[in-house]
Amino acid sequence: MSFYITTPIYYVNAEPHLGHAYTTIAADILARHMRQRGEDVFFLTGTDEHGEPVAQAAEREGVAPRELADRNSVKFRDLVKRLGATNDFFIRTSDPEHERAVQEVVQKIHDNGHVYAGTYEGYYCPRCADFKTEAELVDGTKCPIHLIVLEREKEDNWFFKLSAFQEPLERLYAERPEWVTPQSRYNEALSFIKQGLNDVSLSRARISWGVPVPWDESQVIYVWIDALLNYYTALSYAREGEDLTERYWPARHLIGKDILKFHAVIWPAMLMAAGIEVPRSIFIHGYLLMDEHKMSKSLGNVIDPLEVMDRFGTDTLRYYLFREVNFGQDGSISAAGFETRYNAELANEYGNLASRTLAMIARYRDGLVPDASLDEQLAGDLAEVHERVREKLDAVDISGALEEIWTAVRRLNRFVQDEEPWKLAKDEGAAERLDAVLCSLAEGLRVLSVLVHPYMPDSAERLLAALGQEDLSYDGASFGARGGGAQTSKLEPLFPRIEPPAAAA
Ligand code: MSP
């Protein structure tokens, strides 16, 4: 079975912020976990470069849209690398291969009879690149997301007959109740469909930064139609000389709740219109909030992920985001919350468990993990952690899976406290027990590190190397899968404590 996971492609009208990093890390955690399970994974991310959001930003800066797109796309690509994301391809919608493939699919939608010429009249937000109904507006004329005053627009466009897909979409939702999750988002999308669907613009006449409509070069394809197709077009050219569509399509999409309607309503209808299989699933996550507001460039409250990583490291950021905010819901993040969790959980719980365990094996057994039988009670408590992590990640419950791992970290710390190996070491009659305790601790730490690897790859790898256990496969992730006998080595502290700044005099 193949596993094709995508993130939204990000607008290059501004620099990346932590909100963009969030979805990319989430997709990376799933991709890494699935690779551990031996799945054939393809992970896609990239940038959305056409349309008004970018054209207007370029105009404000006095540069050509392509120049802005080139400049900012590199920043998104660099961020992806810096986050440690293992994407298999980075798509840019200005790639000529993408543009050609978009034209082909749009031509097919046209030839299948789902396109007509019409006139759009209403409100349009150039930052969202979205048409707004009057009911959606705030204070009568403002975009509900960007809070900017919108103009009424009138324009001759090509239209996509979305209304013709009302019934097929309702059927899709009825037949596949889990195709959009969480359930609340499924309900939201379905009720939007049931209210009755209006046709949507498939092209724009007034802007030129985009992919030309194949049968009418005076218009460009509406940026959302162009952008959504990235998930499909990428597979046709990500590998030179190879078309990966058969191998990986359909995709699993990960998106933020701001773009639910496009993905859960318009996108499947477009695919049906083109005769292409609809996505396997869509998971919708919530917002990262700063002081209770969505972190967004237009609200001016963004955090630069690079700064956070410079200060605390990549793994720490990856961990914090999925620990602090329950994936799927909105949640606030803050520097103070970050430091608290870092010290309490990474430094004191996981880091400390690792350094104590390795130090005791070094001191009492010359660094060799004793080949002993495992503590039965501990084995019972940890027996199913790997399965629970797997189930949670299958349900895209990224925070839930991390919570399972953390419960086990705490269980191991309790084991150390209860067993007091330093006392056993002083008692010659307790040598066998000490062997069992040290072997159990090393095995527990190994299992947790394999399971936490998708979240904190560098730290987990360093720890596993120090344990003399480099196998990352999920097959070996059950407690007791490996015995003792490994030679351990020294490990620099994984998460040195952050000391509070000295109080001002
Ligand atoms: N270009 C479109 C998406 C096209 S996909 C075919 C777009 N781009 S965007 O740059 O605005 O990125 C939106 C996505 O970034 C959200 O759906 C979400 O994945 C992520 N986030 C941006 N800000 C966020 C938060 N404050 N919190 C969580 N995720 C955020 O929309």
Side-chain angles (χ1 to χ4, degrees):
M1 253 272 271
S2 67
F3 184 88
Y4 176 28
I5 181 92
T6 70
T7 73
I9 47 170
Y10 306 109
Y11 283 133
V12 288
N13 56 349
E15 304 199 356
H17 62 69
L18 202 54
H20 304 121
Y22 187 51
T23 321
T24 304
I25 299 171
D28 188 57
I29 290 169
L30 296 175
R32 285 176 180 268
H33 170 75
M34 287 301 173
R35 286 195 205 101
Q36 285 183 311
R37 279 163 55 176
E39 303 280 352
D40 180 16
V41 172
F42 195 86
F43 166 18
L44 179 72
T45 188
T47 43
D48 186 356
E49 305 190 1
H50 291 135
E52 253 151 336
V54 178
Q56 286 197 347
E59 203 177 299
R60 279 196 298 274
E61 290 194 28
V63 296
R66 184 173 296 280
E67 194 182 326
L68 181 70
D70 284 346
R71 192 201 316 145
N72 280 345
S73 180
V74 171
K75 293 185 184 158
F76 278 91
R77 197 191 287 253
D78 288 349
L79 172 66
V80 165
K81 269 197 216 119
R82 187 67 207 285
L83 293 170
T86 54
N87 56 307
D88 294 283
F89 189 56
F90 187 96
I91 190 170
R92 298 183 57 186
T93 53
S94 61
D95 290 342
E97 298 93 332
H98 167 79
E99 294 183 351
R100 260 197 309 278
V102 164
Q103 287 184 320
E104 273 169 33
V105 178
V106 167
Q107 183 72 53
K108 211 179 280 167
I109 296 175
H110 172 271
D111 295 349
N112 288 347
H114 303 300
V115 176
Y116 64 93
T119 304
Y120 175 78
E121 199 173 350
Y123 289 94
Y124 178 80
C125 173
R127 297 262 192 92
C128 295
D130 192 10
F131 303 90
K132 306 284 175 186
T133 62
E134 296 200 9
E136 284 175 295
L137 300 180
V138 173
D139 300 337
T141 53
K142 288 188 187 151
C143 165
I145 295 173
H146 296 98
L147 303 176
I148 50 173
V149 174
L150 305 184
E151 309 275 312
R152 268 187 87 79
E153 300 213 359
K154 188 170 177 200
E155 194 176 290
D156 290 335
N157 288 164
W158 292 98
F159 276 74
F160 169 51
K161 269 191 220 160
L162 180 63
S163 57
F165 292 88
Q166 170 113 14
E167 255 184 44
L169 284 172
E170 284 184 20
R171 217 174 313 127
L172 168 70
Y173 275 73
E175 284 167 4
R176 291 171 50 185
E178 293 196 348
W179 103 281
V180 172
T181 50
Q183 176 82 38
S184 56
R185 300 292 168 208
Y186 170 97
N187 296 341
E188 191 181 328
L190 183 57
S191 79
F192 181 85
I193 295 166
K194 287 198 163 155
Q195 277 168 25
L197 295 175
N198 294 324
D199 295 339
V200 294
S201 292
L202 177 122
S203 69
R204 300 300 312 280
R206 248 184 252 149
I207 53 172
S208 55
W209 176 235
V211 182
V213 173
W215 62 89
D216 174 5
E217 300 246 324
S218 72
Q219 304 231 356
V220 296
I221 294 168
Y222 172 40
V223 62
W224 268 102
I225 304 268
D226 165 2
L228 286 162
L229 282 167
N230 91 87
Y231 304 128
Y232 182 71
T233 64
L235 294 178
S236 68
Y237 71 97
R239 291 287 165 273
E240 214 183 322
E242 207 182 340
D243 188 336
L244 301 173
T245 316
E246 279 270 300
R247 182 160 156 200
Y248 292 111
W249 191 259
R252 295 159 207 267
H253 301 305
L254 219 53
I255 59 164
K257 66 180 186 181
D258 46 344
I259 52 180
L260 172 69
K261 178 184 73 182
F262 293 103
H263 284 78
V265 182
I266 299 178
W267 177 222
M270 278 167 62
L271 290 167
M272 288 175 187
I276 300 170
E277 202 180 335
V278 299
R280 207 177 284 282
S281 62
I282 307 179
F283 184 89
I284 294 96
H285 66 72
Y287 288 155
L288 294 181
L289 309 175
M290 286 284 290
D291 307 323
E292 313 203 352
H293 294 288
K294 180 191 179 195
M295 185 188 301
S296 87
K297 172 83 180 164
S298 46
L299 299 179
N301 61 349
V302 294
I303 294 187
D304 178 354
L306 298 175
E307 271 173 32
V308 181
M309 288 187 283
D310 282 345
R311 184 143 176 243
F312 300 109
T314 300
D315 281 3
T316 313
L317 174 67
R318 294 173 62 110
Y319 172 82
Y320 172 69
L321 292 178
F322 294 90
R323 195 74 183 128
E324 187 77 353
V325 180
N326 206 337
F327 195 59
Q329 293 163 14
D330 292 351
S332 289
I333 55 168
S334 67
F338 191 101
E339 293 200 10
T340 306
R341 274 199 194 271
Y342 179 97
N343 279 338
E345 298 178 359
L346 292 177
N348 288 2
E349 293 180 336
Y350 187 50
N352 201 21
L353 175 69
S355 47
R356 274 170 126 185
T357 301
L358 286 162
M360 291 190 291
I361 294 171
R363 182 168 329 143
Y364 307 138
R365 294 292 181 264
D366 285 332
L368 196 71
V369 179
D371 200 0
S373 52
L374 299 168
D375 181 85
E376 274 181 29
Q377 220 179 348
L378 186 70
D381 288 349
L382 298 185
E384 279 161 15
V385 187
H386 64 297
E387 278 159 25
R388 288 200 293 267
V389 167
R390 175 195 177 108
E391 277 163 23
K392 296 249 152 100
L393 288 179
D394 278 344
V396 200
D397 183 0
I398 298 181
S399 305
L402 187 53
E403 175 64 26
E404 292 291 345
I405 299 170
W406 227 256
T407 304
V409 169
R410 291 177 175 157
R411 176 68 185 90
L412 279 177
N413 274 317
R414 229 174 35 244
F415 182 69
V416 178
Q417 276 156 29
D418 293 348
E419 297 296 330
E420 301 184 305
W422 47 93
K423 287 195 182 155
L424 297 175
K426 287 187 191 145
D427 174 0
E428 271 178 28
E432 214 174 299
R433 181 65 199 151
L434 182 60
D435 280 348
V437 168
L438 294 178
C439 180
S440 303
L441 273 176
E443 178 61 359
L445 203 49
R446 183 192 68 78
V447 165
L448 294 178
S449 303
V450 171
L451 293 175
V452 93
H453 183 265
Y455 297 81
M456 298 193 283
D458 286 349
S459 313
E461 264 165 52
R462 280 173 54 206
L463 178 45
L464 285 166
L467 283 170
Q469 299 276 5
E470 313 224 328
D471 178 18
L472 287 173
S473 73
Y474 179 84
D475 272 351
S478 63
F479 188 77
R482 304 277 179 269
Q487 182 63 48
T488 61
S489 52
K490 198 169 155 29
L491 177 71
E492 291 304 315
L494 288 176
F495 305 104
R497 279 186 68 85
I498 304 172
E499 298 305 336

